[in-house]
């Protein structure tokens, strides 16, 4: 998993949608899913906007035109949030756990096995069985003795959620920047006169329009590979 | 017996099963919440947000009845409860921001001024009503949007799956949604799933004069709510398989069935069909474990209740002597009929009215047969309902009404309501 993360360090994500897709792709390819049905398995555009509003996720690195640019820090934080949500931790606890963490600390949090106990005795029993007595890895939260299975109303996630629905309505769709690979479903071309076909491996062909010049930008090329990977993945699932 | 805690009661199709053969058995899991009446105990605090459709089609009697129902709701609230109302047509207006239900006369005067006009921005009306409810969350009480409409969402977000998903998302964040569809022009394929996903109730008001009664039932249900976020886990023993769950409740991500909210005094029947392996005469098998999990309304604590389904193998001849359990037979009939209604609706949607009618005739026969064995009050009521449906589908006088009745009757039977 660490190697996989390493390969993502220099990728930029153009817009919330691309960030959501990258996180989903990563979680699917590593088999990290949520066990409980209270929170979506994968982050979507709306939840990402919500995390930004809540201060769990930093604002975009920069704006290029109307497009927000996100980076590795964002993806990593998002992966950590989903991992902690999969343990049924409420947003307020997750916020405490990740705030002020460096990239290295977040990577450690993402890579490590985490156990959640709602009872101190359970924790002690667990530590006795594995012979672990070092307190440095234990984080204590006081939630009146219980960690709620769903977000408590006091956190008022409801209001934020409804506001995000209204914000979504009023927001204009992001315009894709020039020369950016499309994130839409691949279109099948009719006729072959303007296209060249290259067999990459048996069973997989690449069709390239005659006038097309691929940018030298490595980020761009990496995104194309991620897109192809996504297409092959979605075919597998069908 | 008046119980203080929720418990599970298990009814087996027959007390014993035949040895030496693999077979399918029906197990009824009855969830029995405490029987305390709402009046005797302290009721949860209510935070109600009404989203009322005032589009042009609501004009006349429908609007009059909706106003009466909203005023009834205000009258029933305690000063510790909170109330808000938004009205929507093509656009949405906040009629009352969220406030304690203290000045009831002022609230009712405001409701009286609502007039019908324009188109139906259903989604936005619902969102705004939710926002009002979110302004003063009850903290352990019940926070609910009541969406009242007679039309189809035709302004703003109109995609059913999106709206249903959002109702689910909002319920997970503490605000539930009930829907009240009036007349024949609304979209039951939106309002029913929206209420189910929104952990509320779906009501069908056929005649406007039923409106106040529906509000009364909804409010009684709210004050009687003893548990929410209810799921049932079924763990079959090795060699045993869950073949079917006749209520067709959805599963959550961990495979548990998502059940409706628990109400005091209203048991909920869940029917699980198990395939069990062959056994020797005299052998006993603990076929499955059931684990109910819910959040208790009064304390907001997670509660877990368990029960076991146990079978004992005897000779086939001994089993033939045994009577089928009445409760199981009644429940199986009602739930099978609920499924048949869905099937009939699907035929209607394809224009195959003869096939739909033929299914309903079979339902009538099956219900009569069950009644002959178990003359229960529920089955008697079901016979009446099925007879009405048969009449409606035969004369084709109002297909939209027939479909709505079928949808809502199916929903009620699945939830033992």
């Amino acid at each position: 998993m660490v190697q996989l993360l390493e390969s993502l360090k220099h990728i930029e994500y153009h817009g919330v949608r691309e960030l959501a897709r990258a996180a989903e792709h990563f979680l699917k390819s590593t088999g990290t899913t949520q066990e409980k049905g209270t929170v979506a398995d994968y982050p979507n555009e709306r939840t990402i906007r919500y995390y930004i509003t809540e201060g769990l996720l930093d604002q975009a690195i920069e704006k290029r035109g109307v497009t927000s640019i996100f980076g590795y820090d964002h993806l990593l934080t998002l992966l950590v949030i989903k991992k902690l949500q999969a343990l049924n931790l409420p947003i307020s606890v997750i916020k405490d756990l990740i705030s002020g963490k460096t990239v290295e600390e977040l990577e450690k949090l993402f890579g490590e096995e985490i156990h959640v106990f709602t009872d101190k005795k359970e924790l002690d029993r667990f530590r006795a069985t594995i012979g672990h007595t070092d307190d440095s890895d234990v984080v204590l939260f006081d939630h009146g003795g219980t960690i709620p299975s769903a977000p408590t109303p006091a956190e008022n996630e409801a209001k934020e959620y409804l506001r995000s629905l209204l914000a979504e309505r009023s927001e204009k769709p992001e315009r894709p920047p020039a020369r950016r690979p499309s994130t839409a479903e691949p279109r099948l071309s009719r006729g072959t006169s303007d296209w060249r076909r290259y067999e990459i491996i048996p069973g997989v062909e690449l069709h390239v329009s005659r006038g097309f010049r691929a940018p030298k930008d490595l980020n761009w090329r990496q995104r194309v590979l991620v897109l192809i990977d996504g297409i092959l993945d979605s075919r597998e699932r069908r | 017996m008046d119980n203080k805690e929720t418990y599970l009661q298990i009814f087996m199709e027959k007390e014993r099963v035949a040895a030496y053969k693999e077979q399918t058995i029906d197990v009824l899991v009855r969830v029995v919440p405490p029987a305390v009446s709402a009046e005797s105990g302290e009721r949860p605090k209510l935070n109600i947000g009404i989203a009322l459709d005032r589009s042009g089609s609501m004009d006349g009697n429908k609007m009059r009845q909706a106003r009466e129902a909203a005023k009834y709701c205000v009258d029933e609230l305690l000063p510790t409860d909170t109330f808000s109302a938004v009205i929507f047509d093509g656009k949405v207006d906040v009629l009352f921001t969220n406030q304690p239900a203290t000045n009831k006369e002022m609230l009712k005067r405001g409701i009286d001024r609502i007039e019908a006009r324009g188109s139906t921005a259903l989604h936005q009306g619902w969102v705004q009503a939710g926002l009002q409810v979110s302004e003063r969350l009850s903290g352990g009480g019940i926070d609910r949007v009541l969406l009242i409409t007679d039309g189809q969402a035709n302004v703003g977000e109109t995609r059913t799956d999106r709206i249903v998903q959002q109702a689910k998302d909002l319920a997970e964040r503490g605000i539930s949604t009930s829907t009240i569809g009036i007349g024949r022009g609304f979209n039951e394929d939106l309002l029913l799933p929206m209420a189910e996903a929104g952990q509320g109730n779906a009501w069908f008001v056929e005649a406007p004069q039923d409106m106040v009664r529906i509000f009364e039932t909804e409010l009684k249900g709210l004050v009687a709510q003893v548990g929410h976020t209810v799921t049932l886990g079924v763990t079959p023993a090795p060699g045993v398989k869950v073949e079917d769950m006749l209520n067709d409740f959805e599963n959550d991500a961990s495979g548990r069935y998502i059940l409706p909210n628990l109400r005091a005094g209203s048991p909920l029947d869940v029917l699980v069909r198990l395939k069990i392996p062959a056994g020797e005469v005299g052998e006993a098998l603990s076929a499955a474990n059931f684990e109910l999990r819910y959040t208790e309304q009064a304390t907001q604590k997670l509660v877990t209740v368990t029960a076991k389904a146990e079978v004992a193998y005897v000779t086939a001849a001994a089993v033939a002597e045994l009577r089928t359990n009445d409760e199981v037979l009644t429940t199986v009939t009602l739930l099978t009929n609920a499924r048949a209604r869905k099937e009939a609706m699907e035929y209607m949607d394809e224009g195959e009215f003869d096939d739909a009618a033929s299914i309903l005739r079979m339902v009538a026969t099956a219900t009569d047969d069950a009644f002959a064995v178990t003359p229960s009050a529920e089955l008697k009521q079901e016979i009446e309902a099925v007879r009405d449906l048969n009449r409606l589908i035969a004369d084709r006088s109002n297909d939209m009404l027939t479909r709505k009745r079928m949808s809502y009757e199916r929903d009620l039977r699945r939830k033992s309501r």
Side-chain angles (χ1 to χ4, degrees):
Chain A
M1 191 142 9
V2 177
Q3 275 173 339
L4 252 175
L5 282 175
E6 199 59 41
S7 69
L8 298 170
K9 281 204 167 154
H10 305 291
I11 301 179
E12 280 182 353
Y13 305 97
H14 295 226
V16 177
R17 180 183 297 180
E18 212 169 285
L19 178 62
R21 284 171 72 111
E24 179 175 345
H25 181 69
F26 188 92
L27 290 169
K28 277 181 181 162
S29 60
T30 54
T32 318
T33 51
Q34 173 122 353
E35 273 184 24
K36 222 169 162 291
T38 52
V39 188
D41 287 347
Y42 307 109
N44 56 33
E45 292 165 68
R46 192 183 308 129
T47 49
I48 290 177
R49 288 200 185 93
Y50 169 67
Y51 296 151
I52 294 173
T53 322
E54 281 293 293
L56 270 86
L57 202 58
D58 288 340
Q59 297 283 351
I61 309 167
E62 59 173 297
K63 277 260 184 192
R64 281 183 208 152
V66 291
T67 307
S68 305
I69 307 295
F70 298 94
Y72 174 66
D73 294 17
H74 293 94
L75 178 72
L76 179 63
T77 311
L78 205 49
L79 295 174
V80 172
I81 294 171
K82 290 320 277 185
K83 173 175 178 167
L84 296 174
Q85 279 191 325
L87 299 164
N88 297 323
L89 289 173
I91 287 289
S92 58
V93 171
I94 295 176
K95 195 173 174 182
D96 287 348
L97 274 171
I98 63 173
S99 67
K101 289 267 192 296
T102 62
V103 166
E104 289 72 29
E105 285 168 330
L106 286 174
E107 281 173 345
K108 191 164 171 255
L109 202 53
F110 188 64
E112 275 177 349
E113 201 175 319
I114 299 174
H115 296 268
V116 177
F117 300 94
T118 52
D119 182 351
K120 176 82 167 57
K121 282 183 207 140
E122 264 180 64
L123 167 69
D124 292 340
R125 266 198 300 276
F126 176 75
R127 293 174 77 192
T129 46
I130 60 165
H132 182 103
T133 51
D134 179 9
D135 270 343
S136 64
D137 284 351
V138 177
V139 185
L140 280 179
F141 286 96
D142 183 9
H143 269 258
T146 56
I147 287 184
S149 57
T152 62
E155 289 174 283
N156 216 338
E157 290 189 7
K159 190 192 283 186
E160 291 309 325
Y161 176 71
L162 290 160
R163 281 189 179 152
S164 77
L165 293 182
L166 286 182
E168 198 175 69
R169 265 188 81 247
S170 55
E171 198 170 90
K172 290 193 180 105
E174 286 173 0
R175 194 177 47 198
R179 299 178 72 81
R180 180 181 150 223
S182 160
T183 52
E185 280 283 304
R187 275 176 306 184
L188 294 175
S189 66
R190 291 178 195 282
T192 54
S193 60
D194 291 321
W195 297 83
R196 287 198 170 190
R197 299 164 56 167
Y198 302 91
E199 185 175 20
I200 304 173
I201 48 164
V204 180
E205 278 186 355
L206 182 65
H207 293 216
V208 183
S209 156
R210 275 177 202 275
F212 182 77
R213 296 281 173 273
K216 295 247 182 289
D217 178 1
L218 281 179
N219 277 333
W220 185 93
R221 291 180 179 220
Q222 180 79 38
R223 279 205 303 282
V224 173
L225 291 178
V226 169
L227 282 176
I228 293 171
D229 196 21
I231 293 165
L232 294 176
D233 249 357
S234 65
R235 282 189 83 253
E236 287 298 311
R237 285 197 302 276
R238 267 177 215 158
Chain B
M1 188 186 68
D2 279 3
N3 51 308
K4 291 245 164 19
E5 309 284 338
T6 301
Y7 66 93
L8 296 179
Q9 212 176 350
I10 305 291
F11 298 92
M12 308 299 286
E13 181 184 338
K14 286 192 173 181
E15 280 171 20
R16 308 270 185 272
V17 294
Y20 310 117
K21 63 167 186 181
E22 191 184 57
Q23 61 206 290
T24 300
I25 55 163
D26 287 338
V27 182
L28 166 61
V29 184
R30 177 165 291 168
V31 181
V32 191
V36 289
S37 72
E39 292 85 54
S40 66
E42 223 175 81
R43 73 160 174 76
K45 191 181 156 198
L46 299 184
N47 172 19
I48 305 271
I50 288 183
L52 176 61
D53 184 348
R54 60 143 161 202
S55 58
S57 56
M58 283 286 287
D59 206 7
N61 202 19
K62 279 190 217 162
M63 183 49 88
R64 227 178 353 263
Q65 296 296 336
R67 281 196 298 254
E68 288 311 310
K71 287 194 288 183
Y72 168 84
C73 180
V74 168
D75 271 333
E76 290 297 302
L77 296 179
L78 300 175
T80 43
D81 297 327
T82 50
F83 180 79
S84 54
V86 305
I87 44 182
F88 61 93
D89 46 21
K91 65 188 207 22
V92 182
D93 292 317
V94 178
L95 183 66
F96 297 117
T97 55
N98 193 318
Q99 54 192 283
T102 42
N103 193 346
K104 292 186 177 181
E105 289 313 309
M106 184 273 290
L107 291 171
K108 289 196 283 183
R109 277 199 302 277
I111 291 168
D112 264 333
R113 284 198 292 271
I114 308 170
E115 295 291 343
R117 63 170 207 210
S119 49
T120 314
L122 182 149
H123 174 254
Q124 216 199 335
W126 170 76
V127 171
Q128 289 289 0
L131 271 174
Q132 284 305 322
V133 170
S134 74
E135 286 299 327
R136 286 171 196 254
L137 289 179
S138 60
I142 296 170
D143 302 286
R144 176 158 301 182
V145 174
L146 292 185
L147 172 65
I148 307 162
T149 180
D150 75 332
Q152 315 256 339
N154 55 21
V155 174
E157 178 63 83
T158 56
R159 288 165 293 186
T160 301
D161 53 339
R162 285 286 189 105
I163 302 176
V164 169
Q165 180 60 44
Q166 290 175 8
K168 182 170 188 276
D169 292 344
L170 187 62
E172 281 163 3
R173 289 164 176 79
I175 299 179
S176 49
T177 299
S178 281
T179 60
I180 301 180
I182 310 173
R184 288 154 198 198
F186 70 88
N187 179 4
E188 65 269 31
D189 293 337
L190 168 65
L191 294 195
L192 268 165
M194 199 178 167
E196 174 143 353
Q199 292 181 22
N201 305 305
W203 304 106
F204 170 29
V205 182
E206 246 184 86
Q209 56 270 27
D210 294 341
M211 192 76 193
V212 173
R213 185 180 52 78
I214 296 281
F215 256 68
E216 193 184 339
T217 318
E218 167 78 8
L219 287 177
K220 274 193 181 145
L222 285 184
V223 297
Q225 186 166 304
V226 289
H228 64 84
T229 320
V230 191
T231 60
L232 180 74
V234 182
T235 315
V240 178
K241 213 176 128 222
V242 178
E243 271 215 328
D244 204 351
M245 203 275 294
L246 264 57
N247 303 63
D248 293 324
F249 289 135
E250 280 196 34
N251 291 112
D252 68 9
S254 54
R256 300 174 65 86
Y257 297 112
I258 303 171
L259 270 47
N261 293 336
L262 301 180
R263 286 188 206 158
S266 299
L268 170 69
D269 289 342
V270 182
L271 202 295
V272 181
R273 197 158 268 178
L274 298 177
K275 184 158 219 170
I276 57 167
E280 305 272 334
V281 169
E283 205 181 311
L285 171 71
S286 189
N289 284 323
F290 299 96
E291 190 206 53
L292 179 81
R293 231 185 259 172
Y294 65 95
T295 306
E296 193 174 57
Q297 191 64 50
T299 59
Q300 294 299 305
K301 287 211 167 120
L302 193 68
V303 178
T304 306
V305 185
T306 57
K308 264 184 204 165
E310 284 167 327
V311 293
Y313 293 93
V314 294
T315 60
V319 172
E321 299 283 303
L322 294 171
R323 194 180 145 79
T324 302
N325 181 287
D326 289 345
E327 306 281 351
V328 176
L329 179 62
T330 301
T331 309
V332 169
T333 308
L334 292 175
L335 292 174
T336 313
N337 290 0
R339 280 187 175 173
R341 282 175 171 90
K342 184 166 183 259
E343 207 183 328
M345 270 158 47
E346 283 162 4
Y347 277 120
M348 281 179 75
D349 292 346
E350 287 163 17
E352 310 282 353
F353 286 87
D354 289 344
D355 289 332
S358 123
I359 284 179
L360 289 176
R361 279 196 298 277
M362 284 193 277
V363 168
T365 312
T367 315
D368 286 342
D369 290 349
F371 187 75
V373 181
T374 309
S376 65
E378 293 104 310
L379 287 179
K380 188 158 195 300
Q381 214 179 348
E382 176 74 344
I383 288 172
E384 293 295 324
V386 173
R387 197 171 289 159
D388 273 357
L389 285 179
N390 268 297
R391 213 172 18 240
L392 276 168
I393 204 154
D395 69 16
R396 298 283 316 275
S397 58
N398 197 329
D399 294 335
M400 279 165 86
L401 171 68
T402 314
R403 194 180 187 284
K404 283 186 169 56
R405 278 231 193 135
M406 281 200 267
S407 293
Y408 280 82
E409 285 174 2
R410 168 177 180 258
D411 187 60
L412 291 172
R413 277 149 191 72
R414 285 173 60 229
K415 296 172 180 165
S416 324
R417 299 261 152 97

